[in-house]
Amino acid sequence: MGELDPRTSCPKCGGLLSVEIELPRERGAAMRALFDARLGATRTAGRVDIHNSGVWRFRELVLPGIDDEDLVTQWEGNTPLLTRERVARWAEVPELLLKHEGHNPTGSFKDRGMTVAVSNAVRIGASAVSCASTGNTSASLAAYAALAGLPAIVLVPAGQVALGKLAQTLAYGARTLLVRGDFDDCLHLARQSSERLGVYLANSINPFRILGQTTIVLELLQQLDWRAPDWIVFPAGNLGNTAAFGAALRLARETGLVDSVPRLAAVQAEGAAPFARSFRSGFAEREKVRAETVATAIKIGDPASYERGVRAIRETNGIVLEVSDAEILEAKAVVDASGVGCEPASAASVAGARRLARDGTIRRGARVVAVLTGHILKDPGILLDYHKDASKPFANSPIEIEAELGAVEQVLADATSGPTR
Ligand code: F0G
């Protein structure tokens, strides 16, 4: 099937499609130099340089064939790689780095895939775009569709989407359908509507999304001066990112960008861990569950990119593990209190890193990148619930006072004499 075909799965076997790109001739040092020279690119021929985008900077490895005129971009990517002593200490991983994808334009890593998928929708002349989502994909698609001037229809599970994500999706102007069902039902419906009604499907089963998401890894390798870390730890739901990270490492090795690759650790929430279960049986069975977790972003029971996920884990000698909701919330409180902040699903990566450090899988001295996939303000409801509950280990309850200086003085005295949280 050609690159301009709008379908995302094979009409004969139903399997997912991938895009094969022709790799450039420059490899290794020449390719590194090309990508490095684009850092800080500003204006070319009077226009903002497209290479300012942390996705299109790597265009030779993303979608070389597309014209600049078709690109729907808002300079996504370029997210920081942070160190936070306090988070590293909690995770028991001294060399911990945080790749904060919450710094993307709509507050999650989804923008990296969406710039590619929506650009492709424009290129093939799609009349409408659609997706199923736990909230971030819908917010991102809504924004990029608005940029492209395309109508967007999104399907989300009613009552199960974090407030910030739902608010964004509405505000960017997507038709938002609250489906009485879970994410897996929404995806089923979205696939049907794409096949029968012809809307362009922008879920991560769309191979163009995966191409864009490879740049999370390409960018972090560049930030590390093209020296691979020992591990990349990240939350896993529908397994789009797992697939993308595997593809990115394959590309990076094939093109000589790096000479070694990290191991991948995909982290699921205990109540939504079908992939972790399959991993434990050596991927003998494809498991499905009815998902339940506070991390609504990854509340997924039947991940669509299962086969690609398996390949990524196998190729990188990776592992899949699960952490409890309590561990996710504790990790999140630590990340938040360090001034960085992230949404609940993102904190699964830090909680996962701690598990792996404690059981000796991650050795002391190993360099570990934990990917924070979404912004702290995506899920304000969970933040307030946590901090108003004084029994939580890192709760910071608000203090109501009379409008008197004495009350402020008292709080200040407590704050400066007590231990820092
Ligand atoms: N972290 C966040 C914040 C997410 O929103 C998602 C997925 C993941 C991790 C997991 O990534 O699905 O590629 O394994 N969110 C999708 C959505 C499902 O609809 O926004 P994955």
Side-chain angles (χ1 to χ4, degrees):
M1 289 166 68
E3 206 174 280
L4 303 182
D5 195 303
R7 286 172 290 190
T8 53
S9 41
C10 171
K12 288 200 192 106
C13 73
L16 302 185
L17 299 175
S18 57
V19 184
E20 297 297 327
I21 56 167
E22 195 174 326
L23 294 176
R25 244 182 250 135
E26 310 92 46
R27 302 278 159 110
M31 185 177 268
R32 288 195 291 269
L34 174 73
F35 295 152
D36 289 349
R38 290 173 179 167
L39 284 171
T42 50
R43 298 180 84 78
T44 311
R47 297 171 56 183
V48 178
D49 194 312
I50 212 73
H51 301 125
N52 261 316
S53 158
V55 171
W56 298 107
R57 181 160 74 245
F58 305 102
R59 66 188 303 170
E60 288 77 5
L61 300 182
V62 175
L63 198 56
I66 194 161
D67 294 336
D68 278 15
E69 290 67 44
D70 288 336
L71 294 183
V72 182
T73 173
Q74 42 184 336
W75 291 279
E76 46 292 306
N78 295 310
T79 61
L81 192 59
L82 306 166
T83 51
R84 283 296 180 277
E85 167 75 36
R86 187 178 202 162
V87 182
R89 217 180 317 124
W90 183 85
E92 301 176 27
V93 179
E95 299 287 315
L96 183 68
L97 294 153
L98 306 170
K99 177 69 174 157
H100 206 328
E101 287 295 302
H103 286 241
N104 270 292
T106 77
S108 85
F109 70 94
K110 305 289 181 180
D111 297 340
R112 291 185 186 261
M114 216 49 90
T115 180
V116 184
V118 175
S119 296
N120 195 54
V122 168
R123 174 163 73 152
I124 66 173
S127 55
V129 290
S130 155
C131 73
S133 181
T134 55
N136 279 325
T137 300
S138 57
S140 183
L141 178 62
Y144 281 81
L147 267 179
L150 281 172
I153 297 183
V154 307
L155 295 91
V156 298
Q160 297 176 53
V161 176
L163 193 64
K165 304 175 189 182
L166 185 59
Q168 278 181 295
T169 306
L170 296 171
Y172 294 135
R175 299 275 155 93
T176 306
L177 310 182
L178 306 178
V179 178
R180 295 186 201 106
D182 59 16
F183 170 80
D184 301 295
D185 298 321
C186 292
L187 185 57
H188 184 66
L189 196 54
R191 289 180 86 158
Q192 273 186 328
S193 358
S194 131
E195 278 156 28
R196 308 241 187 102
L197 310 177
V199 279
Y200 186 73
L201 189 62
N203 275 102
S204 59
I205 55 177
N206 180 322
F208 294 93
R209 280 271 314 275
I210 302 293
L211 291 174
Q213 286 172 209
T214 62
T215 64
I216 302 173
V217 167
L218 298 177
E219 189 174 270
L220 78 83
L221 292 174
Q222 184 174 36
Q223 285 166 314
L224 292 173
D225 226 357
W226 305 107
R227 278 189 289 272
D230 297 296
W231 288 90
I232 300 177
V233 190
F234 55 97
N238 214 22
L239 307 183
N241 251 356
T242 313
F245 289 13
L249 294 172
R250 216 172 294 134
L251 265 179
R253 196 160 32 192
E254 227 173 287
T255 54
L257 280 176
V258 288
D259 44 30
S260 68
V261 296
R263 294 177 71 183
L264 293 180
V267 188
Q268 298 207 287
E270 216 166 66
F275 193 46
R277 270 202 210 172
S278 295
F279 173 76
R280 281 198 294 275
S281 67
F283 296 121
E285 291 279 329
R286 177 175 177 164
E287 304 273 353
K288 293 176 190 175
V289 303
R290 187 147 278 283
E292 200 43 72
T293 168
V294 290
T296 51
I298 50 173
K299 191 174 165 191
I300 294 172
D302 183 16
S305 292
Y306 176 79
E307 275 93 11
R308 294 170 177 174
V310 172
R311 180 174 177 201
I313 296 299
R314 284 199 170 130
E315 283 181 358
T316 60
N317 187 23
I319 55 174
V320 189
L321 69 157
E322 57 193 55
V323 293
S324 69
D325 279 1
E327 286 170 282
I328 289 176
L329 290 178
E330 193 175 326
K332 173 173 156 53
V334 174
V335 173
D336 290 352
S338 77
V340 171
C342 66
E343 70 161 283
S346 311
S349 53
V350 173
R354 179 161 86 157
R355 276 268 183 124
L356 296 173
R358 284 189 163 179
D359 74 13
T361 310
I362 290 182
R363 296 220 181 86
R364 229 176 153 73
R367 197 143 67 139
V368 178
V369 176
V371 182
L372 301 179
T373 44
H375 197 275
I376 184 173
L377 289 176
K378 288 282 187 173
D379 196 343
I382 216 158
L383 278 170
L384 293 174
D385 289 349
Y386 184 92
H387 288 290
K388 281 180 182 165
D389 178 355
S391 72
K392 291 287 192 293
F394 296 95
N396 179 26
S397 306
I399 305 159
E400 195 168 321
I401 58 160
E402 296 302 331
E404 287 166 3
L405 186 61
V408 179
E409 193 179 21
Q410 180 61 52
V411 173
L412 189 62
D414 291 347
T416 48
S417 67
T420 48
R421 288 187 315 125

